[in-house]
């Protein structure tokens, strides 16, 4: 039987302080006596406001966000009849190790996790409906094993009925609340570390090391995740040089944001590199990538845009394929930058089952820079009130303005991305990926026909590491 304790003195609102705690007591009283807890005066520590519930259904109604701690009697009857309508029931079997099968208004009891699961069913239920609250287990003084098992299951501490006084209970409540806060903080820290590790792995997959050795071309890149939480999205790119001397570059964008889209972007990038090194190009390569997308995407609504460029070994011409993606920007020395033709582009990957993607031949010239980008760069807001998009025309004008200022290479990319963000009035809603390939005959001669090894761009620092500047 529960042990009656002195009636709690109600605490007037004027007496409450910032450090007050709220305790929800869940304890059954078959005799009809109101179960109370010791009066927790200021002399015993932080003042505690008390709520009482006689069964789990009533406890679920009283369990609000302002409750700091729960005191649960492990002897709470669970086999029906004792505590009024709506009380969860558990068929514990004859051995005391049965599985809880009853339900309350708040849902079914969790699966038992120990040999004494029948005796701890109420506790597992409370832990399930109150995962953010500190929980104290109340049990008989001669059942130390059950009390210790309650802590192993998830309670912050336990108390014996015979030791229940104001000072012990006050100290136990404060300890349980602080321990729960520490556990929650540790859990959040662990999740943060795991998320950082996942982002690092995704970053390595989305933003690879370009394979340009021996090409004579320079490379720079920028990646800025959209949204203030700065997580990687579905933008990806890659650059490789095949044994015949052709340099292949690609940039793409999976619709949507989040880890699933980023993972799909990694798969498409790796598939593109493998297919490119295997000798596929143009329509054949994009058709195969579409098959990969169709098999790997989580729903039929997912699609991806893509732009691929294959630059001839002499660096003077290239083949261009567009799959629903904005056309690259080409700048020749002494001339303003302009968009490459986009009229013959095909649809985004994943939209039409038997689509085709024509390959257009483009003359690059002797000295040039080619900027490939995702639509996050051109969809930022501009103008009064942010009523208009920057658009491709606005981007071309912005880049030409920076060229007139003498900016080039990574400085040009950094300034362009920063200006787009400034025009938007803050963080962009979409991710931005930009890469810049360039050819400078004088630089090639300086390096004896080849360029220094390029390194991957860093999305964390926002600045490529050790990349070379194109001739812009």
């Amino acid at each position: 039987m529960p042990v009656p304790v002195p009636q709690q003195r109600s605490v007037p609102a004027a007496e409450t302080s910032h450090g007050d705690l709220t305790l929800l007591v869940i304890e059954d009283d078959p005799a009809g006596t109101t179960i109370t807890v010791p009066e927790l005066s200021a002399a015993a520590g932080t003042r505690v406001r008390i709520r009482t519930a006689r069964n789990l259904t009533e406890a679920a109604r009283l369990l609000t966000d302002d409750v700091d701690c729960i005191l649960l009697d492990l002897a709470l009857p669970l086999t029906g009849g004792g505590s009024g309508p709506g009380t969860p029931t558990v068929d514990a079997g004859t051995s005391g190790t049965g599985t809880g099968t009853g339900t309350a208004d708040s849902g079914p009891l969790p699966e038992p996790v120990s040999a004494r699961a029948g005796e701890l069913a109420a506790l597992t239920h409370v832990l399930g409906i109150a995962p953010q609250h500190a929980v104290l287990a109340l049990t008989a003084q001669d059942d130390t094993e059950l009390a210790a098992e309650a802590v192993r299951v998830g309670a912050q501490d336990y108390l014996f009925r015979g030791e229940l006084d104001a000072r012990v209970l006050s100290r136990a409540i404060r300890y349980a609340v602080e321990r729960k806060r520490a556990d929650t903080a540790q859990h959040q820290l662990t999740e943060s570390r795991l998320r950082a590790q996942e982002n690092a792995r995704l970053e390595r997959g989305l933003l690879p090391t370009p394979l340009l050795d021996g090409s004579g071309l320079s490379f720079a890149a920028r990646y800025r995740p959209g949204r203030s939480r700065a997580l990687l999205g579905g933008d990806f790119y890659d650059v490789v040089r095949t044994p015949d001397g052709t340099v292949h570059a690609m940039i793409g964008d999976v619709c949507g944001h989040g880890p699933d889209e980023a993972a799909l972007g990694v798969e498409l990038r790796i598939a593109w590199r493998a297919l490119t090194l295997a000798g596929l190009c143009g329509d054949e390569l994009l058709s195969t990538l579409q098959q990969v997308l169709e098999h790997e995407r989580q729903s039929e609504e997912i699609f991806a845009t893509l732009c691929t460029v294959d630059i001839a070994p002499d660096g003077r011409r290239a083949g261009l394929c567009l799959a629903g993606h904005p056309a690259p920007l080409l700048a020749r020395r002494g001339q303003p930058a302009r968009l490459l033709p986009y009229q013959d582009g095909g649809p985004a990957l994943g939209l039409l089952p038997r689509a085709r993607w024509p390959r257009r031949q483009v003359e690059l010239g002797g000295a040039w820079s080619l900027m490939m980008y995702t639509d996050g760069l051109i969809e930022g807001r501009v103008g009064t009130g942010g009523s208009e998009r920057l658009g491709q025309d606005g981007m071309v004008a912005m880049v030409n303005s920076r060229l007139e200022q003498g900016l080039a290479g990574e400085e040009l990319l950094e300034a362009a991305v920063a200006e787009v963000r400034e025009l938007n009035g803050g963080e962009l809603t979409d991710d931005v990926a930009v890469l810049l390939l360039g050819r400078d005959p004088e630089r090639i001669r300086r390096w004896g026909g080849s360029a220094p090894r390029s390194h991957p761009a860093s999305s964390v620092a926002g600045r490529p590491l050790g990349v070379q500047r194109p001739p812009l």
Side-chain angles (χ1 to χ4, degrees):
M1 293 289 292
V3 178
V5 291
Q7 177 68 38
Q8 173 208 1
R9 180 177 66 86
S10 60
V11 181
E15 293 183 27
T16 62
S17 65
H18 179 72
D20 287 355
L21 297 174
T22 299
L23 176 70
L24 174 61
V25 180
I26 310 174
E27 188 171 7
D28 181 69
D29 181 18
T33 304
T34 301
I35 300 302
T36 60
V37 297
E39 179 182 1
L40 302 175
S41 63
T46 304
R47 186 178 298 279
V48 180
R49 294 183 293 268
I50 307 300
R51 297 178 188 174
T52 58
R54 296 176 58 189
N55 55 59
L56 297 180
T57 301
E58 185 178 348
R61 291 195 296 266
L62 296 176
L63 188 62
T64 54
D65 291 339
D66 61 332
V67 172
D68 299 286
C69 186
I70 299 170
L71 178 63
L72 172 67
D73 184 4
L74 297 182
L76 191 72
L78 294 171
T79 53
S83 301
T87 303
T89 61
V90 173
D91 181 10
T94 57
S95 64
T97 59
T99 301
T101 58
T103 59
D105 292 346
S106 55
L109 292 175
E111 195 72 19
V113 295
S114 72
R116 307 190 67 169
E119 299 173 86
L120 295 173
L123 175 61
T124 54
H125 182 81
V126 168
L127 294 174
I129 66 174
Q132 304 301 321
H133 293 75
V135 178
L136 289 170
L138 181 64
T139 187
Q141 193 164 1
D142 59 351
D143 205 344
T144 305
E145 182 181 344
L146 181 63
E149 185 68 17
V151 174
R152 284 193 291 270
V153 168
Q156 272 62 57
D157 202 353
Y158 62 84
L159 292 170
F160 295 128
R161 292 189 186 89
E163 299 176 355
L164 199 62
D165 60 40
R167 190 168 298 279
V168 170
L169 181 57
S170 177
R171 183 172 64 247
I173 293 171
R174 294 197 305 271
Y175 169 77
V177 170
E178 291 304 321
R179 180 176 177 182
K180 184 64 178 180
R181 289 172 180 170
D183 291 345
T184 301
Q186 182 61 40
H187 179 70
Q188 292 173 345
L189 178 60
T190 301
E191 283 189 339
S192 177
R193 288 174 177 171
L194 290 175
R195 190 178 301 114
Q197 292 173 2
E198 291 173 356
N199 282 347
R201 286 193 294 269
L202 287 174
E203 179 184 337
R204 289 193 295 271
L206 291 168
L207 316 178
T209 300
L211 302 181
L212 287 173
D213 288 351
S215 69
L217 301 183
S218 58
F219 171 85
R222 281 291 182 280
Y223 182 92
R224 179 182 288 275
R227 310 164 309 282
S228 59
R229 63 178 181 271
L231 297 177
L232 290 172
D235 291 8
F236 56 97
Y237 61 79
D238 203 352
V239 182
V240 298
R241 179 175 182 262
T242 49
D244 64 355
T246 303
V247 172
H248 302 261
M250 171 272 292
I251 193 166
D253 183 5
V254 178
C255 70
H257 304 284
D260 292 336
E261 288 75 14
L264 182 56
V266 172
E267 291 183 77
L268 292 177
R269 186 201 66 76
I270 293 174
W272 176 88
R273 175 174 283 203
L275 294 170
T276 299
L277 293 175
L280 274 66
C281 186
D283 179 76
E284 185 181 10
L285 186 150
L286 292 176
S287 297
T288 308
L289 276 182
Q290 174 157 278
Q291 295 181 41
V292 174
L293 172 66
E294 290 172 346
H295 284 90
E296 297 297 329
R297 64 185 176 183
Q298 292 189 336
S299 69
E300 294 185 356
E301 289 74 26
I302 300 296
F303 64 90
T305 65
L306 206 69
C307 170
T308 68
V309 174
D310 54 278
I311 303 170
D314 64 5
R316 302 185 64 88
R317 58 192 181 282
L320 170 67
C321 287
L322 297 175
H325 201 87
L329 192 66
L330 175 66
R332 297 189 180 97
R333 177 167 295 169
Q335 300 180 20
R338 63 178 180 84
L339 292 172
L340 291 181
Y342 56 87
Q343 291 82 2
D344 295 335
L349 302 181
L351 293 183
L352 300 178
R354 288 175 290 276
R356 288 293 177 263
W357 294 272
R359 177 178 177 274
R360 174 187 283 267
Q361 189 75 15
V362 178
E363 293 297 325
L364 300 176
W368 50 266
S369 287
L370 183 69
M371 189 174 82
M372 304 169 69
Y373 52 93
T374 56
D375 57 7
L377 188 68
I378 59 177
E379 290 188 347
R381 298 288 182 176
V382 297
T384 305
S387 58
E388 300 178 1
R389 300 282 189 182
L390 175 64
Q392 287 181 293
D393 292 339
M395 179 198 65
V396 173
M398 178 187 67
V399 170
N400 281 323
S401 174
R402 297 296 182 177
L403 291 175
E404 293 174 359
Q405 297 173 11
L407 297 184
E410 65 175 87
E411 291 181 351
L412 173 65
L413 294 188
E414 186 172 347
V417 174
E419 183 173 354
V420 168
R421 181 181 178 278
E422 181 179 352
L423 292 172
N424 189 64
E427 291 293 342
L428 300 166
T429 57
D430 200 1
D431 310 300
V432 175
V434 191
L435 65 87
L436 193 62
L437 288 169
R439 182 177 187 271
D440 182 357
E442 295 181 2
R443 176 173 169 272
I444 294 174
R445 284 193 297 271
R446 236 180 5 253
W447 290 98
S450 63
R453 181 179 177 84
S454 296
H455 298 279
S458 170
S459 66
V460 177
R463 178 183 294 273
L465 304 177
V467 298
Q468 301 299 316
R469 295 185 181 180
L472 274 179

